Amino acid sequence: MNELIARDVVMVRAIETTDQKKEILSEDDRLYASRSARELAQWQASGKHAEVTGDDFLQQRSELLLKRLAERNPAFASFSKRRYGLQGLTWALPLLALVLGVALDRITDPHRVDLLSAPLLLILAWNFVVYIGLLISLVVPSRSPGWPKDGMVRRLSVGKLALPRKMPPVLSTALLSFMGEWAQLSAKLTAARLNRTVHLSAALFSIGAVASLYARGLLAQYGAGWESTFLNASQVHGLLSFLFAPAMFVFNLQGFTLAEIEALRFPQTTAAEGGARWVHLYAATIFLFVVLPRLLLALAYNLRAAHFAKRFPLDLDHPYFRRLNDTIGVSTGGLLRVLPYSFTVDEVRHQGLVQVAVMAFGEQGRMMLRPSSAYGEDARELLREVDLTDPNVNITAVLFNITATPEKENHGAFLDYLVKSSPRGIAVLLDQSSYIERMGDHPDDRARLAERVALWQQFCHFHHTRATVVNLLNPGAHPLEAGLPLSTPQ
């Protein structure tokens, strides 16, 4: 699945997940899209003499639903065609860098090549610092965002968090959710493109500076010289010999002696005939240490970006996709692992969890129930035998009894450990069956239940998880039509 298809699919998922009451996409819209997409995917597969795939089905379905929304809401149509900042930056930044590189030479003496040219030496020094930073980042991984920053990646991925007016509130909420999710999903692709642009811009900046030197040399006679308050001729000779040695070796350029360096010291004398030699030495050195490495880095990031754009890393094991693929017979089911916390699950509620897994993954969904974790015990000790990175487990969910009051030092500590230790994220199930059994059907009882649910949902959000309310004695009371929500560590 490529980037454009994945973007449409993720947008439709955000809309369907948010639109639980089917205000903007009715049940008929969804059924029609699924049926038509299934027929189109089967028709395409038969033309290729291949079996229908979930990718083809999801692509066709998302296109049909987005087209339907665009026909109904012109504001949404304009949003779906929005272009993001990185597209313009991809060509604008390298072009600006080239122009600035050409202009850089204009701040120096137009008739002399300075052996200690500050602009050219700064270009080399800055790039050496960048290379050292790249090497350090490879050898010593850091947990800090580094470059590029998360905020920059989000801005370049989705632009401003602003939506067109005259859209239904549910649709606006869904699109805001999509923008946040897409920024996270496309972070690697955006970072690869941004790094490619930056490295290409650095190369073009240096090319512009060197090209300006050569262009001006066609119409003016360069002299050569140097001056320094703190360096003598021997030190300058040593510095330039070290700096230009690779270029002289690779390109077989003419070298220089200490006597020549001493003779070129300003204001004693300036060699009018020697300017070309130093232009060639600087140009060759910048090519070896700036232009060539930066172009290779830009190429590497371009290949990385092309790989992500062609094979976008979208997790199709998500219950939403599994449920949809189940309608065309390509779903392989999924495994829901439940970790009860201070909750003894009886046989009836055990069957309710099985139904939750079926709602999440389709008819082939399976459920694994772990022993209940004791209240107040250390999470690391309680879960030492649980492999939280098991690839065979699609969702790990913590089960809480909504009658309990959430406590940061107990329930919160348990969630924090799981969030930090689970690469695929943690879901939270809030069972309200015991609470409903104890209360009546009075409006005050329903209001207290709503307050308790809101309290738990806010608590889970604070601990970087997302809560789903279930009734294990009556699973149908809270159908998971869009799949079991997942959250990932912030």
Side-chain angles (χ1 to χ4, degrees):
M1 185 179 295
N2 64 36
E3 175 194 4
L4 296 179
I5 296 173
R7 181 178 181 272
D8 289 347
V9 169
V10 173
M11 186 183 297
V12 169
R13 180 177 67 177
I15 293 172
E16 288 193 277
T17 303
T18 305
D19 186 26
Q20 294 291 336
K21 296 182 180 180
K22 300 179 174 58
E23 299 177 25
I24 53 179
L25 284 176
S26 67
E27 184 66 24
D28 289 339
D29 291 332
R30 304 180 193 208
L31 291 175
Y32 169 78
S34 295
R35 183 172 60 252
S36 300
R38 181 170 59 250
E39 294 173 355
L40 287 170
Q42 291 172 345
W43 177 71
Q44 288 183 343
S46 64
K48 301 176 184 178
H49 302 287
E51 295 184 359
V52 63
T53 65
D55 286 9
D56 293 335
F57 169 69
L58 293 173
Q59 175 187 357
Q60 297 294 342
R61 187 175 184 275
S62 62
E63 289 178 356
L64 289 170
L65 288 175
L66 291 178
K67 182 178 180 181
R68 180 66 58 90
L69 284 174
E71 291 171 351
R72 294 174 179 172
N73 196 310
F76 174 78
S78 65
F79 173 85
S80 62
K81 297 177 182 178
R82 176 187 290 184
R83 298 183 64 185
Y84 302 131
L86 190 58
Q87 295 177 344
L89 192 68
T90 299
W91 61 266
L93 188 60
L95 181 61
L96 177 62
L98 179 63
V99 172
L100 291 176
V102 171
L104 179 68
D105 185 51
R106 299 300 174 182
I107 67 175
T108 59
D109 189 337
H111 296 289
R112 192 183 83 171
V113 177
D114 195 340
L115 273 62
L116 299 177
S117 173
L120 299 181
L121 289 175
L122 282 175
I123 289 176
L124 292 169
W126 169 247
N127 281 274
F128 277 122
V129 170
V130 170
Y131 301 150
I132 292 173
L134 290 174
L135 289 175
I136 292 176
S137 67
L138 291 176
V139 177
V140 185
S142 175
R143 293 185 179 182
S144 61
W147 167 266
K149 298 293 184 182
D150 290 342
M152 180 186 299
V153 172
R154 183 203 59 76
R155 182 67 177 269
L156 294 174
S157 297
V158 299
K160 295 181 179 179
L161 291 179
L163 297 173
R165 298 179 180 179
K166 300 181 180 180
M167 281 201 302
V170 176
L171 184 56
S172 297
T173 302
L175 294 182
L176 286 174
S177 175
F178 156 73
M179 294 168 74
E181 185 176 10
W182 183 251
Q184 182 180 17
L185 292 174
S186 62
K188 291 183 179 180
L189 173 59
T190 303
R193 286 173 170 166
L194 182 59
N195 278 294
R196 175 194 62 189
T197 301
V198 169
H199 289 302
L200 180 60
S201 300
L204 288 179
F205 179 83
S206 302
I207 290 174
V210 172
S212 179
L213 275 175
Y214 278 106
R216 197 173 64 184
L218 293 174
L219 303 176
Q221 175 66 46
Y222 280 137
W226 66 277
E227 56 183 326
S228 174
T229 302
F230 302 105
L231 300 178
N232 57 39
S234 177
Q235 292 172 324
V236 172
H237 178 265
L239 173 64
L240 296 180
S241 296
F242 173 78
L243 185 65
F244 295 142
M248 290 188 293
F249 175 77
V250 173
F251 296 102
N252 195 27
L253 296 176
Q254 179 184 357
F256 46 87
T257 64
L258 176 59
E260 289 176 307
I261 296 298
E262 180 67 45
L264 293 176
R265 183 162 189 167
F266 184 82
Q268 295 175 344
T269 183
T270 297
E273 71 281 0
R277 180 205 301 187
W278 301 102
V279 170
H280 295 328
L281 285 172
Y282 265 113
T285 300
I286 289 176
F287 174 79
L288 282 180
F289 291 108
V290 180
V291 176
L292 184 59
R294 289 286 195 160
L295 289 179
L296 290 175
L297 287 168
L299 177 61
Y301 279 110
N302 183 65
L303 294 175
R304 180 179 173 86
H307 173 77
F308 285 141
K310 187 176 180 180
R311 298 177 180 85
F312 192 85
L314 184 62
D315 183 12
L316 296 180
D317 282 336
H318 190 282
Y320 171 86
F321 299 123
R322 286 180 172 271
R323 286 174 55 82
L324 288 176
N325 287 333
D326 188 54
T327 63
I328 59 173
V330 298
S331 176
T332 58
L335 178 60
L336 170 65
R337 176 171 54 190
V338 180
L339 306 176
Y341 183 83
S342 188
F343 192 139
T344 301
V345 180
D346 56 26
E347 183 62 28
V348 178
R349 289 180 173 81
H350 184 281
Q351 292 302 317
L353 286 172
V354 173
Q355 290 302 312
V356 169
V358 170
M359 285 192 292
F361 295 110
E363 293 298 327
Q364 300 182 55
R366 295 168 292 124
M367 191 275 298
M368 176 201 300
L369 181 63
R370 297 288 306 179
S372 179
S373 298
Y375 174 83
E377 295 293 329
D378 181 63
R380 188 182 301 275
E381 286 297 320
L382 291 171
L383 302 173
R384 63 180 182 274
E385 297 181 359
V386 178
D387 182 6
L388 296 174
T389 62
D390 187 350
N392 297 315
V393 177
N394 302 99
I395 296 177
T396 297
V398 181
L399 176 62
F400 291 125
N401 192 332
I402 207 170
T403 58
T405 300
E407 299 174 354
K408 180 180 179 181
E409 60 274 13
N410 294 307
H411 305 86
F414 191 76
L415 286 178
D416 289 341
Y417 172 76
L418 286 170
V419 166
K420 293 177 181 178
S421 307
S422 305
R424 301 187 68 174
I426 291 295
V428 174
L429 298 176
L430 300 177
D431 178 40
Q432 62 177 208
S433 59
S434 298
Y435 196 92
I436 292 176
E437 278 186 323
R438 295 191 323 188
M439 74 177 195
D441 196 31
H442 192 274
D444 291 342
D445 295 325
R446 293 195 295 271
R448 283 195 293 270
L449 174 60
E451 291 175 358
R452 179 59 63 111
V453 169
L455 173 65
W456 268 102
Q457 289 179 332
Q458 184 179 10
F459 177 82
C460 292
H461 178 74
F462 177 78
H463 290 280
H464 310 302
T465 58
R466 185 174 169 185
T468 300
V469 178
V470 295
N471 186 333
L472 297 183
L473 294 181
N474 183 17
H478 297 281
L480 304 178
E481 297 182 4
L484 187 65
L486 279 176
S487 66
T488 54
Q490 300 296 315

